[in-house]
């Protein structure tokens, strides 16, 4: 049964991997998705001072942050991210969802656009931040 209350942020995360075998990003602290539509301008001298628009490009991007674990317990290690997504320029499948299969989810293929490893401060946690851009349409699944 789908979640019927406000979703707790601890339950919403990105799952990455080959289509059909995605694994939740371990030790995640942040996750977000942004879906945009950029309409195209059609205003002319005949528009009587009003702006007119038509449909345009749609796009989506996502990001996630997680604690770096020395043994890299996640299915996708930093080495995997770098090798597959940066060096080899391959896509991976991403799903933004809760742990409940009945809840709404957003999924599609992504290109990794950045990986940042941060060791800020003293006696603090090492974090990893990744950002990615969806290629093609996003499938919104509501089971």
């Amino acid at each position: 049964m789908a979640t019927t209350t406000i979703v707790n942020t601890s339950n919403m995360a990105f799952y990455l991997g080959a289509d059909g075998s995605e694994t939740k990003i371990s030790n995640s602290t942040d996750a977000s998705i942004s879906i945009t539509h950029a309409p195209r301008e059609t205003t002319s001298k005949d528009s009587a001072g009003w702006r007119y628009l038509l449909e345009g490009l749609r796009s989506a991007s996502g990001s996630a942050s997680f604690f770096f674990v020395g043994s890299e317990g996640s299915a996708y290690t930093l080495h995997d991210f770098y090798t597959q997504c940066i060096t080899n320029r391959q896509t991976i499948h991403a799903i933004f969802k809760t742990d409940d299969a009945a809840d709404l989810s957003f999924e599609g293929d992504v290109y990794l656009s950045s990986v940042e490893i941060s060791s800020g401060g003293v006696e603090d946690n090492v974090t990893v931040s990744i950002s990615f851009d969806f290629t093609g349409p996003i499938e919104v699944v509501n089971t």
Side-chain angles (χ1 to χ4, degrees):
M1 182 174 176
T3 304
T4 57
T5 59
I6 296 172
V7 176
N8 185 310
T9 60
S10 296
N11 297 330
M12 194 87 176
F14 269 106
Y15 292 68
L16 301 175
D19 193 2
S21 61
E22 300 85 2
T23 302
K24 185 177 182 179
I25 294 177
S26 301
N27 301 301
S28 180
T29 58
D30 262 328
S32 67
I33 187 171
S34 176
I35 302 169
T36 60
H37 174 234
R40 55 195 165 105
E41 180 95 27
T42 59
T43 306
S44 71
K45 292 182 180 184
D46 299 324
S47 299
W50 288 96
R51 182 177 180 209
Y52 283 84
L53 303 170
L54 288 174
E55 79 290 339
L57 287 177
R58 293 165 290 176
S59 63
S61 60
S63 64
S65 296
F66 50 96
F67 292 126
F68 176 75
V69 177
S71 63
E72 300 197 68
S74 182
Y76 261 78
T77 66
L78 289 175
H79 183 265
D80 292 334
F81 279 129
Y82 187 80
T83 303
Q84 180 178 356
C85 301
I86 301 294
T87 303
N88 296 336
R89 301 178 186 178
Q90 296 174 340
T91 61
I92 55 175
H93 199 72
I95 305 175
F96 191 53
K97 66 178 187 168
T98 68
D99 293 334
D100 189 334
D103 285 344
L104 187 72
S105 67
F106 304 86
E107 65 179 279
D109 292 328
V110 299
Y111 279 103
L112 193 65
S113 51
S114 72
V115 176
E116 178 182 343
I117 304 166
S118 177
S119 177
V122 177
E123 297 295 319
D124 207 349
N125 299 318
V126 174
T127 58
V128 178
S129 297
I130 59 172
S131 61
F132 39 85
D133 295 301
F134 284 82
T135 178
I138 291 180
E139 183 178 0
V140 180
V141 179
N142 189 5
T143 55

